[in-house]
Amino acid sequence: MTSPSEAGPLTAAQVEALLAGIAGQRIAVVGDLMLDRYLVGEATRLSPEAPVPVVSITERREALGGAANVAANVVAFGGTARLVGVLGDDVAGSALRARLLATGLSDDGVLTMPARPTTVKTRIIARGQQLIRVDEESDAPLEGAALNALIRRAESAVADSDALVLEDYDKGVLVPALIATAIAAASSRKIPIIVDPKYRNFFAFAGATVFKPNRPELARALGATVDAARLEALPGLRQRLNVTHLLVTLGAEGMLLVGGEGAMTRIAAQSREVFDVSGAGDTVTSWLAGALSAGASLLDAARLANLAAGVEVGKQGVAVVTPEEVRAAVG
């Protein structure tokens, strides 16, 4: 097997050209919507009830998560997002919908389901460290009238977009029928299809332009640890998935791009102080979609997304990245 080639960083001029291209792009984002809550405080003593810290909360904040965070990043780089997903008829759903509108996102493609809770991830943080995360959610697969309604929303979003993102967090929204319909609609318009997968439907995204798993997702699919000794399995996996390109995010080791001919290219991670990796994958997905929709090569799009992710991990919690921040990060 030929060793992966190494891709150098983008120049400032290349970054400027890419940033000019992504502004104004229209991205359909279909997937799991989440509300990320942060309870920040001080932990100075242990509870007398159990060997756990007592956290005195001094700050509360909320952010868009999952597919909603991908859409928020599209807005942040100057694009337009057509967001499709479901919310519960609850307080969290109202808060998430209000935050969408405040971010500049339309909620036309968002379906309210009274019998389903809004997905909420609550993180408790003290001294800059996450102590625990509490999840409130249902991961039951969509079906029946709700599924049909969401399929119609997805088709409408794709009909007026320059790229499609399928953002799967295994919360039951991206079921095979919705996946197949959205991919068929995007394929008929010949627009890029970017998939951020999870485990349940890992092999259900045939026809995607770029399939972007992270290391744990890929390891689970392969049934083996993903490291330098397992790279020979990746071209075969791309063929098994029936996708055009495979882009594996490897955390501190950067990214690995597997092309249609089986050629592999390694993209080094940006050298920065990592504060919090939450949301980094969403940043990669959104910026990758923006650049591809504007006609960038996959390698340049991946390098731009890698640069944006390097900015995001330097922030606390899930956050968006702006073109100004990417410009400042070009070394």
Side-chain angles (χ1 to χ4, degrees):
M1 183 193 71
T2 303
S3 298
S5 60
E6 300 287 339
L10 293 167
T11 66
Q14 288 174 316
V15 169
E16 283 300 328
L18 289 166
L19 291 177
I22 65 176
Q25 293 301 302
R26 303 166 301 173
I27 314 297
V29 182
V30 183
D32 295 303
L33 310 183
M34 303 181 189
L35 183 66
D36 285 323
R37 285 181 171 151
Y38 298 88
L39 304 180
V40 184
E42 298 293 331
T44 58
R45 61 190 177 94
L46 292 178
S47 170
E49 303 163 357
V52 295
V54 175
V55 181
S56 298
I57 301 300
T58 58
E59 178 187 354
R60 299 171 183 265
R61 64 176 186 270
E62 294 178 338
L64 299 174
N69 183 42
V70 173
N73 268 280
V74 171
V75 172
F77 67 59
T80 301
R82 313 280 200 251
L83 183 61
V84 178
V86 300
L87 297 177
D89 186 12
D90 49 25
V91 173
S94 297
L96 202 158
R97 194 180 291 272
R99 189 158 291 275
L100 290 175
L101 298 175
T103 304
L105 289 161
S106 170
D107 63 349
D108 290 349
V110 177
L111 176 68
T112 297
M113 294 185 62
R116 191 182 186 97
T118 299
T119 299
V120 180
K121 295 182 178 180
T122 302
R123 298 170 175 88
I124 300 177
I125 300 168
R127 297 184 180 180
Q129 300 294 317
Q130 183 180 150
L131 302 182
I132 192 170
R133 194 183 86 187
V134 180
D135 290 0
E136 303 166 81
E137 63 189 27
S138 169
D139 63 358
L142 285 188
E143 57 185 9
L147 174 58
N148 291 334
L150 208 64
I151 285 175
R152 291 193 296 272
R153 283 166 166 79
E155 289 176 319
S156 177
V158 170
D160 190 29
S161 293
D162 304 307
L164 167 66
V165 168
L166 296 173
E167 184 73 12
D168 194 4
Y169 275 83
D170 270 355
K171 307 306 179 190
V173 168
L174 284 176
V175 295
L178 177 56
I179 293 168
T181 300
I183 288 179
S187 296
S188 70
R189 298 194 62 240
K190 296 181 171 55
I191 61 175
I193 302 163
I194 297 89
V195 174
D196 195 353
K198 266 294 187 284
Y199 311 118
R200 186 185 296 172
N201 294 306
F202 195 87
F203 291 96
F205 296 93
T209 309
V210 183
F211 190 81
K212 188 193 75 65
N214 60 26
R215 187 196 301 268
E217 291 156 355
L218 190 60
R220 181 164 175 172
L222 292 175
T225 301
V226 178
D227 55 28
R230 290 286 303 168
L231 295 183
E232 71 276 1
L234 296 183
L237 177 62
R238 186 197 64 78
Q239 294 176 334
R240 181 181 171 193
L241 289 163
N242 192 19
V243 298
T244 307
H245 303 282
L246 189 65
L247 180 64
V248 184
T249 56
L250 299 170
E253 296 177 39
M255 303 178 180
L256 188 67
L257 177 61
V258 183
E261 302 300 321
M264 290 183 282
T265 305
R266 192 183 299 276
I267 303 170
Q270 299 296 306
S271 298
R272 308 197 190 286
E273 181 179 357
V274 176
F275 190 88
D276 189 340
V277 299
S278 301
D282 299 339
T283 300
V284 171
T285 302
S286 57
W287 282 74
L288 184 72
L292 288 177
S293 69
S297 70
L298 180 55
L299 179 57
D300 283 353
R303 290 192 291 177
L304 181 68
N306 187 49
L307 189 60
V311 173
E312 201 279 341
V313 298
K315 301 183 179 186
Q316 185 179 51
V318 173
V320 299
V321 175
T322 66
E324 292 74 20
E325 290 171 325
V326 169
R327 288 187 181 96
V330 178

